Amino acid sequence: MAGQLRVLAAEQQAGGSGTRWRATAPAEQRFRITQLVDEAREQLVELRGVHSGTTAEVARTLLEHLSESADLIDQALVHTAAAAVASGVALKEVAQWSRLPAEELAAVLALGEGED
C-alpha cells in the first residue's frame, strides 16, 4: 500500500510522465495519429524519382506532395499534443517537444484543431 502511494505521488509530480501511452491515450486517437503519419509517409514515398521533367513540373509535384505531407504531420502533431496534455503531461513540456510556443499550443488545443 505504501509503495503504491509513493508511485501515485511520483506520477502526480511527474505530470503524466509515469503513465503509459496505451493506458491514457484512447485507441481511436492513437489510430488517427498512426494513420496521419502513414499518409504523410506515402506522400513522401511518391516523390522518389520525381526529378525529371520541366522545372515547373518537378517543382509543382515536389511542392504539392511536400505541402500535403507537412499538413498531415501538423495534424499528427496536434493530435499527439492533445493526447499528451489530456493524459497529464505538462503543456510547457509538450510545447517544448513540439517546438511551439506554449501559448500558441494552448490556443490550438482550445480551438479543438486536433479534431477532424
Side-chain angles (χ1 to χ4, degrees), residues 3-101:
Q4 289 176 333
L5 291 176
R6 278 193 291 266
V7 170
L8 288 175
E11 272 190 26
Q12 287 177 342
Q13 289 177 348
S17 62
T19 60
R20 298 306 232 179
W21 179 253
R22 288 184 169 269
T24 57
E28 298 83 19
Q29 197 164 21
R30 294 191 324 264
F31 175 77
R32 184 63 182 138
I33 292 165
T34 300
Q35 188 179 39
L36 289 164
V37 171
D38 288 345
E39 288 177 36
R41 182 181 305 125
E42 288 174 21
Q43 286 289 326
L44 293 171
V45 167
E46 289 181 27
L47 293 177
R48 290 183 182 163
V50 180
H51 298 285
S52 62
T54 67
T55 302
E57 291 170 339
V58 172
R60 180 185 54 79
T61 302
L62 286 169
L63 291 170
E64 285 176 350
H65 281 76
L66 289 169
S67 178
E68 178 66 23
S69 296
D71 182 52
L72 293 166
I73 292 297
D74 284 346
Q75 290 177 49
L77 183 138
V78 171
H79 278 279
T80 303
V85 170
S87 298
V89 179
L91 178 72
K92 182 178 176 181
E93 288 184 273
V94 174
Q96 181 182 1
W97 299 332
S98 60
R99 298 182 192 176
L100 293 172

